[in-house]
Amino acid sequence: MKGERNEIGDIFTSNKDLLLMVEDLKVWFPLKRGIGEILRRKPQRYVKAVDSVSFFVKERETFCLAGESGCGKTTTGKSLLRLVPITSGSALFRARKETLEELKKNGVNLDGEDYVDIFAIPPRKVKPIRKDIQIIYQDPYGSLNPRYNIGDILKEPMNIHKVELTEEEKMERVHKALETVKLKPPEDFIDRFPHQLSGGQRQRIAIAKALIMNPKLIVADEPVSMLDVSIRAEMLELLQSIKEDRNLSYVFITHDLAVSRYICDRIAIMYLGRIVETGETRRIIENPLHPYTRALVAAIPEPDPSNRHKLRNVPIKGEIPSAANIPPGCRFHPRCVAFDENMERLRDKCPIHDPPYFVSEDGRYVNCWLYDNWKKKEKIMDFST
Amino acid sequence: MTTVLEVSNLSTSYMTFRGVVRALEKVSLKLEKEEILGIAGESGCGKSTLAWSIMGLVPPPGKIIEGSVKIDGIDILKLPENERRKKILWEKISMVFQGAINSLNPVYTIGYQLAEPFIYHRNYTKKEALEKVRELLKMVGLNPELVKRYPHELSGGMKQRAVIAMALALEPSVVIADEPTTALDVVIQSQILNLMKKLKQEKRLSFILITHDMSVIAEMADKVAIMYAGRIVEYGSSDIIFNNPYHPYTRLLIKSIPRLRGPIEKLHYIPGEPPNLISAPPGCKFNPRCPQATERCRKEEPDLIEVEKGHFVRCWLYEGRES
Ligand SMILES: Nc1ncnc2c1ncn2[C@@H]1O[C@H](COP(=O)(O)OP(=O)(O)OP(=O)(O)O)[C@@H](O)[C@H]1O
Ligand SMILES: Nc1ncnc2c1ncn2[C@@H]1O[C@H](COP(=O)(O)OP(=O)(O)OP(=O)(O)O)[C@@H](O)[C@H]1O
Ligand code: SF4
Ligand code: SF4
Ligand SMILES: [Mg+2]
Ligand SMILES: [Mg+2]
């Protein structure tokens, strides 16, 4: 295990443009057991919210996690801030120097490296990480404390992290953050309460709050889903320009593939806790390879009125199973049309063996036996593309 | 073509403590047999209020101020409440209301809840009613055995099918569906939209489909009404609305839709936000956000005029273009 970790570490060290590399993340929530189950010594069952997920994010990149409700996007995002218990896995992250220093000072062993494995930090020592990685939640209504005014909401992260600044300096940062998210003049907003703002303005406050600590990575969890389409593009543009100005990276979570196409460099499509396909966003949307991605792409309505004359053909069967009851073999096989069509070849594979990732010529990773004539993914992903 | 529903000059307000919310202002529209009319617009523009007003069921503090809703030539808003409930609602026009799947009663089985209209309106016995419910469930692609299940045992998509089944129970000719797929994932959404298309053909239904999602409108609607601040600002065939819209608001709205295919063009957005309907600005309600607004737009409100056959626009730019 130690050797393997070092191997991953070496690769991370030598690829300076990598910001984050997650390997084999599992987040399994234990299901409550009935007394009967305990007495009969039934094994503990889990909701496998995230089940062996690997991905990487480069500096100044927007990486997208997409998929249907319940597939594990938010849980994956939260794991990076250690907001959910990690079952296993590693997440090497190039934190800022000050953050690494602070971790070291608190007794976190970094082996002299310029990165930290977020998942290996003891639970009580993870706080400094939450300066470098911020999260923006989907709901601009629920995520801001209704009893605080905007000034206090924006000062809160600085207080939590005990930033050594005078009150004036903190206020100055608040003003700057408000200007960055184009709430001008800042004085007009500082004394207001969240309910005195529109949905779009609240989401701007959430973004400003995420920026206050100068993070390196922002997990943006469906940041525009609740907003009207007429102002969505404005928010996406804002996120884009902030990224360029501040050398940020995003893990951008969305269920909307059309949105992802405008903002994400690379994308991972998730199904039942697993990334089924990952690669360049445009390629995946133009030519989806995994049978689930194909269905997902085929299901998306488009603003073309000639579609009204036809029924949409979405190649998928049945309904999504529960994350507490993941099918054996390939987790998609009970719904997979490609499996039915290739029964002869796949009968002994899909229902029995969980597929590994196969790597396409254009650098895509696909979690499907259909592509078993391609190169198999080794321990670590290839991020040269 | 036969007109199955005709709404004229319908206005509805909510009498709140903070003031009168003028949520619907003189809305007129027509629905033809076997047609899907899409109603689109931003959150708060009055789409749900329109739906409730057509049914004559606006919740307090809302009040229909004026207007008529004619079904088969009868103005249903003039009928006494109990007659409307007994003879018109569910029989001739029914509604799948916004968030309906969350308001299924958790303590009753699906069968029990769907049987109610048969018992109340048709005086069926419980057994007869349940038999009808099984047929209904089959019609919307559900297993008839679901009659014995409780709402929490169904997925979101199954619940949405069940509430559509409920709306279709008494075979109305008009169904209003308010955001029927908004809470659903795309795969399930596509199945529900396919189901509605099939039902439209097989049952010769007419739909009013309300959604803020323009792509869903394109996928379904024959005609489209674009609403802004409680008014219809543009109305026409869906080909016109999507391919050659006239109103500045519609144009910007269409340009703001992210697309899955084709070249990635810069997405547009509409700066600012819709007005507060207690104190909407004078003149054209879109003028504070409109790139083409003139002095006149800030003072006088334009009427909805027919610029070409079946295509209506509410904007000063088209003054004198009446056909
Ligand atoms: N704290 C928890 N305890 C138990 N199960 C959980 C917990 N949090 C999430 N889950 C389950 O884990 C799975 C993944 O949830 P998650 O919220 O990550 O999905 P998501 O992709 O973000 O979905 P959505 O698009 O609906 O936000 C779901 O089955 C969910 O019910
Ligand atoms: N019960 C109510 N009391 C007071 N105002 C209301 C009430 N219901 C709706 N309104 C107001 O009436 C206007 C129209 O609301 P309506 O719900 O019809 O909009 P909508 O277009 O359906 O929006 P959404 O897309 O969010 O469903 C809004 O300004 C809303 O705030
Ligand atoms: S591995 Fe088999 S069942 Fe799974 S997606 Fe591929 S073809 Fe379908
Ligand atoms: S009337 Fe004037 S403000 Fe209104 S949409 Fe037309 S041009 Fe714009
Ligand atoms: Mg989520
Ligand atoms: Mg509504």
Side-chain angles (χ1 to χ4, degrees):
Chain A
M1 194 63 209
K2 187 72 189 157
E4 191 179 293
R5 169 147 292 164
N6 284 346
E7 188 189 340
I8 297 176
D10 288 346
I11 288 174
F12 193 74
T13 311
S14 55
N15 281 278
K16 291 290 178 214
D17 66 337
L18 276 182
L19 177 66
L20 172 75
M21 189 167 86
V22 175
E23 278 290 323
D24 214 16
L25 167 64
K26 292 186 179 140
V27 182
W28 294 4
F29 296 105
L31 275 171
K32 285 224 168 54
R33 292 202 289 179
I35 186 79
E37 280 175 297
I38 295 173
L39 289 178
R40 272 177 279 135
R41 300 183 187 220
K42 287 254 171 105
Q44 172 70 52
R45 295 200 304 137
Y46 296 91
V47 175
K48 297 182 177 176
V50 180
D51 196 25
S52 289
V53 155
S54 306
F55 63 92
F56 60 89
V57 183
K58 294 184 187 177
E59 302 264 8
R60 289 174 297 282
E61 185 181 51
T62 302
F63 177 71
C64 192
L65 290 171
E68 292 178 284
S69 182
C71 68
K73 306 181 293 295
T74 297
T75 308
T76 303
K78 282 183 171 172
S79 74
L80 302 176
L81 292 91
R82 294 284 300 269
L83 295 170
V84 289
I86 309 294
T87 306
S88 67
S90 65
L92 306 191
F93 175 63
R94 245 181 204 104
R96 282 179 307 182
K97 273 215 178 59
E98 306 91 85
T99 310
L100 293 171
E101 288 299 322
E102 197 177 335
L103 286 166
K104 251 194 269 180
K105 217 171 62 198
N106 296 345
V108 178
N109 182 9
L110 296 177
D111 291 335
E113 305 288 358
D114 68 339
Y115 59 82
V116 57
D117 179 353
I118 299 171
F119 299 161
I121 305 173
R124 265 183 270 161
K125 295 179 177 170
V126 296
K127 206 170 97 183
I129 284 299
R130 296 183 192 149
K131 290 198 250 182
D132 283 12
I133 307 181
Q134 294 281 333
I135 187 161
I136 301 171
Y137 291 103
Q138 163 172 11
D139 175 8
Y141 300 87
S143 62
L144 303 174
N145 189 332
R147 286 185 301 267
Y148 284 13
N149 70 24
I150 302 308
D152 290 335
I153 285 173
L154 295 180
K155 269 190 289 183
E156 197 189 4
M158 294 186 271
N159 295 334
I160 289 178
H161 290 287
K162 303 202 172 61
V163 178
E164 286 171 19
L165 292 175
T166 64
E167 200 57 22
E168 279 94 89
E169 286 168 327
K170 284 183 188 168
M171 245 6 215
E172 198 173 310
R173 268 216 208 175
V174 167
H175 275 240
K176 255 184 75 193
L178 284 170
E179 271 170 12
T180 309
V181 297
K182 304 208 167 65
L183 290 175
K184 293 183 215 174
E187 304 80 56
D188 278 7
F189 292 92
I190 283 188
D191 296 325
R192 288 208 222 170
F193 288 87
H195 72 266
Q196 294 169 313
L197 300 175
S198 70
Q201 289 172 330
R202 273 185 262 217
Q203 201 54 295
R204 283 166 197 268
I205 298 293
I207 296 170
K209 187 178 170 195
L211 291 174
I212 281 277
M213 297 305 298
N214 267 322
K216 292 195 73 172
L217 177 68
I218 291 183
V219 177
D221 191 355
E222 310 257 13
V224 298
S225 305
M226 304 268 283
L227 303 175
D228 268 308
V229 66
S230 67
I231 57 172
R232 242 180 236 179
E234 191 177 11
M235 209 61 68
L236 294 175
E237 206 171 78
L238 177 66
L239 287 168
Q240 197 72 21
S241 76
I242 291 171
K243 177 181 122 175
E244 278 151 28
D245 292 350
R246 302 236 185 164
N247 285 327
L248 274 172
S249 300
Y250 292 122
V251 169
F252 190 95
I253 296 175
T254 180
H255 64 271
D256 188 339
L257 285 186
V259 165
S260 76
R261 190 165 168 260
Y262 289 81
I263 179 146
C264 302
D265 305 305
R266 287 181 308 112
I267 193 170
I269 309 291
M270 292 185 73
Y271 179 77
L272 267 189
R274 174 74 55 85
I275 291 174
V276 296
E277 177 165 4
T278 177
E280 231 182 278
T281 310
R282 285 185 217 189
R283 293 203 181 152
I284 288 191
I285 290 173
E286 272 158 31
N287 176 27
L289 294 173
H290 193 282
Y292 174 67
T293 321
R294 285 187 199 154
L296 196 61
V297 170
I300 296 167
E302 281 175 278
D304 173 1
S306 65
N307 286 341
R308 70 180 186 275
H309 302 299
K310 41 192 187 238
L311 295 181
R312 216 162 242 286
N313 178 19
V314 180
I316 194 166
K317 304 182 294 181
E319 297 222 357
I320 198 160
S322 144
N325 216 341
I326 292 182
C330 169
R331 61 198 61 213
F332 187 59
H333 89 262
R335 307 185 68 194
C336 184
V337 175
F339 171 55
D340 293 352
E341 286 166 355
N342 296 275
M343 191 63 93
E344 275 307 292
R345 171 153 93 84
L346 299 174
R347 190 194 315 270
D348 300 329
K349 290 191 170 133
C350 307
I352 304 155
H353 303 290
D354 200 355
Y357 289 89
F358 294 100
V359 192
S360 75
E361 259 172 29
D362 63 7
R364 251 191 269 176
Y365 287 75
V366 190
N367 191 220
C368 171
W369 286 118
L370 279 178
Y371 305 99
D372 62 0
N373 53 340
W374 293 351
K375 192 175 82 190
K376 207 157 111 184
K377 175 197 178 239
E378 299 301 328
K379 271 257 122 47
I380 294 156
M381 298 181 96
D382 177 5
F383 20 74
S384 47
T385 45
Chain B
M1 266 203 255
T2 38
T3 303
V4 289
L5 173 77
E6 190 167 0
V7 174
S8 325
N9 277 321
L10 195 56
S11 301
T12 298
S13 295
Y14 294 95
M15 313 299 173
T16 71
F17 291 117
R18 292 189 298 131
V20 178
V21 181
R22 304 173 72 105
L24 210 59
E25 278 282 315
K26 293 201 190 316
V27 167
S28 302
L29 51 87
K30 262 190 200 167
L31 182 67
E32 311 288 344
K33 184 132 200 75
E34 279 178 75
E35 177 181 78
I36 300 184
L37 168 65
I39 300 196
E42 282 167 281
S43 181
C45 71
K47 303 182 295 297
S48 296
T49 304
L50 173 59
W52 288 115
S53 301
I54 292 174
M55 301 285 284
L57 294 175
V58 184
K63 200 169 168 261
I64 295 174
I65 307 296
E66 60 175 333
S68 65
V69 176
K70 287 200 179 121
I71 296 177
D72 295 344
I74 308 167
D75 183 353
I76 66 165
L77 299 182
K78 292 237 162 62
L79 296 177
E81 174 92 17
N82 59 353
E83 195 173 334
R84 188 169 68 233
R85 280 187 190 268
K86 190 89 189 168
K87 295 214 186 109
I88 306 288
L89 304 184
W90 310 114
E91 297 265 358
K92 288 188 188 275
I93 182 168
S94 68
M95 177 164 163
V96 177
F97 52 91
Q98 189 169 2
I101 60 174
N102 301 318
S103 52
L104 284 168
N105 193 327
V107 302
Y108 296 115
T109 60
I110 293 296
Y112 184 94
Q113 297 186 55
L114 265 65
E116 204 186 295
F118 295 111
I119 296 170
Y120 175 72
H121 283 263
R122 295 274 158 92
N123 302 319
Y124 280 33
T125 64
K126 204 173 149 207
K127 201 163 154 240
E128 289 165 341
L130 280 177
E131 206 35 56
K132 283 300 249 183
V133 173
R134 279 172 210 273
E135 279 172 33
L136 272 181
L137 291 176
K138 252 189 271 175
M139 185 176 80
V140 296
L142 289 173
N143 184 336
E145 292 317 306
L146 288 182
V147 289
K148 297 182 207 127
R149 301 287 170 136
Y150 291 88
H152 74 266
E153 297 177 279
L154 274 59
S155 69
M158 289 155 90
K159 280 191 258 189
Q160 191 62 57
R161 284 176 195 262
V163 297
I164 290 175
M166 203 184 303
L168 298 177
L170 302 183
E171 302 186 23
S173 50
V174 179
V175 178
I176 304 177
D178 190 358
E179 306 275 5
T181 60
T182 303
L184 304 175
D185 276 312
V186 282
V187 170
I188 301 163
Q189 167 170 281
S190 68
Q191 292 161 353
I192 298 288
L193 297 182
N194 279 348
L195 170 69
M196 287 172 63
K197 281 182 185 172
K198 276 193 207 143
L199 289 171
K200 170 188 137 169
Q201 271 198 340
E202 285 165 14
K203 303 265 151 192
R204 309 198 60 209
L205 281 174
S206 312
F207 277 100
I208 293 183
L209 173 66
I210 294 176
T211 168
H212 67 281
D213 186 335
M214 292 296 285
S215 300
V216 169
I217 295 268
E219 200 75 14
M220 303 295 292
D222 303 297
K223 288 192 193 136
V224 182
I226 305 290
M227 286 185 71
Y228 190 81
R231 289 134 173 93
I232 290 179
V233 295
E234 187 159 8
Y235 179 79
S237 73
S238 96
D239 291 316
I240 283 196
I241 297 291
F242 282 93
N243 299 328
N244 191 17
Y246 278 15
H247 196 282
Y249 176 64
T250 316
R251 287 187 173 171
L252 289 169
L253 195 62
I254 301 277
K255 280 191 187 156
S256 70
I257 309 169
R259 285 160 199 261
L260 194 65
R261 294 192 177 78
I264 299 190
E265 282 157 24
K266 197 173 137 46
L267 278 183
H268 290 252
Y269 57 83
I270 312 180
E273 36 194 76
N276 177 334
L277 296 180
I278 294 180
S279 52
C284 169
K285 302 308 160 216
F286 187 54
N287 86 68
R289 302 171 80 187
C290 181
Q292 284 156 285
T294 62
E295 209 35 56
R296 182 179 193 189
C297 304
R298 292 183 192 98
K299 293 192 191 112
E300 293 170 64
E301 178 160 20
D303 284 329
L304 189 67
I305 58 167
E306 189 167 18
V307 287
E308 52 196 355
K309 190 155 173 29
H311 182 194
F312 297 80
V313 183
R314 185 191 292 280
C315 172
W316 286 125
L317 292 176
Y318 302 96
E319 192 187 16
R321 301 260 305 256
E322 267 142 302
S323 68

